[in-house]
Amino acid sequence: MPSSLQEIVASALLLALLFLPSPSDAIRSFPTAVARFAEAPQFRNGDGCPASSLRGCVTACDPSHVHIAMTLDSHYLRGSIAAVFSILKHASCPESIFFHFVASASPSSSDLYRTVRSVFPSLRFKIYPFQENLVRGLISASVREALENPLNYARNYLADLLEPCVQRVIYLDSDLIVVDDIRRLWDMHLPESAVIAAPEYCHANFIRYFTAEFWESGDGQRIFYGRRRTPCYFNTGVMVMDMERWRAGDYRQKIEYWMKMQQRRRFYELGSLPPFLLVFAGEVEGVDHRWNQHGLGGDNLSGNCRPLHPGPTSLMHWSGKGKPWARLDAGKPCPLDHLWAPYDLYLPPSSSSASLFVL
């Protein structure tokens, strides 16, 4: 094994040992209709955290909150739980974070609520029912079936789902962990000319996200002409979004326009990403790459192992086909999957709650 891989695995094992709690920190487990998870430890605000002006009332409209939006479903619930756990663990003000979970409008949403509340008893959150029929008829076939899930498009509707008082939100995918204080991302400056901010990857071949016909017809040059900057690829799994500007610019309609155009004349293959690129590429406010070390799940077909990109890391993102929980369960993990494992609160069916602990 190359020395770099040995160092990664060794770091993961050391991380798990360093945060192994004392017997007094033992946790209880509980069954749900969705899955079984361990209860996470409580995280409290540190000194210097903003005080709420609402006198103990927990509401999404509290101006002291950091707002995070994620989708929630039974298939990716294990990843979502790990992501939330990682955010709370590394946050300087965990009690000042409000989670906006978007879930399919179905009876199972009550199971999801009970699971999240049981794992995180003091978490500030709300589940918003998403009517999948809003977008189902606009979705075209993709290179991978999982990319056709209507919830992948729920971020397009956040401005309609969330309370009007929510002016800014950090959108995060479910297949990631945060290993830095999320407030550092929240506090970034978003100039008036920008609606969203995300890490951009201008070294990537932007042309390949659309068909050759799209470029040969001149549509590409016409659509992206006059943008603030050169259009670059960005990953939509980590975005800071200005909800007021989104609503004012009616960006939901602009994204839906391109989804309808795709049904008439197919010019992309990658599900929910290309419509975002068509609307926002060249208009995105750049964020340091440390906030989306993406692609750790490999490509969309093979899900092969990949290393971290050079540079510091604040967020690790298993975008692509391979998911760390699936590879760990199969006994074929990639080296970096061991860095996700310490945040996994899932209890296998054979687990005994009497001997289980969490970080």
Side-chain angles (χ1 to χ4, degrees):
M1 178 182 294
S3 60
S4 60
L5 297 186
Q6 290 176 332
E7 291 171 359
I8 291 171
V9 174
S11 297
L13 295 175
L14 179 60
L15 179 66
L17 291 173
L18 284 175
F19 293 106
L20 187 65
S22 64
S24 62
D25 293 325
I27 56 167
R28 58 187 175 86
S29 63
F30 49 88
T32 74
V34 181
R36 297 175 66 246
F37 293 88
E39 180 181 324
Q42 300 291 309
F43 296 99
R44 302 301 181 190
N45 279 359
D47 296 335
C49 291
S52 172
S53 60
L54 301 181
R55 298 182 180 180
C57 179
V58 178
T59 170
C61 293
D62 190 328
S64 69
H65 282 156
V66 171
H67 296 274
I68 298 177
M70 302 175 66
T71 58
L72 205 62
D73 69 351
S74 58
H75 184 66
Y76 277 87
L77 182 59
R78 188 170 171 184
S80 301
I81 294 292
V84 173
F85 185 21
S86 71
I87 293 167
L88 296 175
K89 179 175 176 55
H90 296 282
S92 58
C93 302
E95 294 178 291
S96 300
I97 301 175
F98 195 98
F99 287 87
H100 304 265
F101 295 118
V102 180
S104 297
S106 67
S108 64
S109 61
S110 59
D111 292 327
L112 294 171
Y113 180 91
R114 285 193 294 269
T115 299
V116 174
R117 178 56 69 202
S118 298
V119 178
F120 306 105
S122 61
L123 189 71
R124 289 161 170 77
F125 77 95
K126 179 178 177 180
I127 294 182
Y128 301 77
F130 179 57
Q131 300 293 338
E132 295 186 351
N133 288 338
L134 284 173
V135 71
R136 192 183 299 277
L138 299 175
I139 298 175
S140 300
S142 182
V143 66
R144 183 160 57 92
E145 185 177 356
L147 299 177
E148 300 170 24
N149 186 332
L151 275 180
N152 287 336
Y153 297 82
R155 55 190 155 216
N156 305 353
Y157 300 86
L158 288 176
D160 302 307
L161 294 169
L162 274 54
E163 290 81 353
C165 63
V166 178
Q167 300 176 3
R168 173 184 286 204
V169 68
I170 298 174
Y171 174 82
L172 298 176
D173 275 351
S174 298
D175 52 356
L176 55 78
I177 56 172
V178 176
V179 292
D180 200 345
D181 188 354
I182 195 68
R183 182 168 284 276
R184 295 177 181 172
L185 179 60
W186 174 260
D187 287 339
M188 73 158 293
H189 173 65
L190 196 61
E192 292 184 7
S193 56
V195 177
I196 65 172
E200 293 182 289
Y201 304 91
C202 295
H203 64 277
N205 184 0
F206 185 75
I207 293 176
R208 72 183 179 89
Y209 291 97
F210 303 95
T211 63
E213 180 186 357
F214 174 78
W215 296 108
E216 291 168 358
S217 67
D219 286 344
Q221 290 77 4
R222 175 179 56 82
I223 292 165
F224 295 112
Y225 177 78
R227 300 281 172 105
R228 281 197 305 141
R229 298 203 297 252
T230 301
C232 294
Y233 160 73
F234 65 94
N235 180 277
T236 54
V238 179
M239 297 186 291
V240 180
M241 309 173 70
D242 188 300
M243 293 286 94
E244 290 186 315
R245 296 173 193 171
W246 184 287
R247 296 181 184 107
D250 202 6
Y251 282 94
R252 166 192 165 180
Q253 295 293 334
K254 292 177 180 178
I255 290 175
E256 288 182 342
Y257 167 81
W258 288 113
M259 295 175 69
K260 294 173 183 177
M261 290 296 293
Q262 164 78 346
Q263 292 181 326
R264 299 176 191 171
R265 179 170 62 89
R266 189 173 181 83
F267 53 94
Y268 62 78
E269 303 289 341
L270 280 176
S272 62
L273 171 63
F276 254 86
L277 295 179
L278 287 162
V279 174
F280 290 110
E283 301 290 346
V284 174
E285 184 66 16
V287 174
D288 194 297
H289 290 177
R290 68 187 302 150
W291 284 105
N292 195 352
Q293 285 268 7
H294 71 296
L296 304 184
D299 59 28
N300 281 300
L301 298 176
S302 62
N304 51 306
C305 297
R306 287 183 178 175
L308 289 172
H309 304 291
T313 300
S314 293
L315 183 151
M316 302 173 64
H317 186 188
W318 279 261
S319 57
K321 183 178 180 181
K323 303 305 174 188
W325 57 88
R327 296 193 295 213
L328 286 163
D329 287 353
K332 298 179 180 179
C334 293
L336 292 179
D337 296 343
H338 294 288
L339 299 181
W340 179 89
Y343 301 96
D344 185 15
L345 297 180
Y346 175 71
L347 299 179
S350 59
S351 296
S352 170
S353 61
S355 60
L356 287 171
F357 301 88
V358 294
L359 306 185

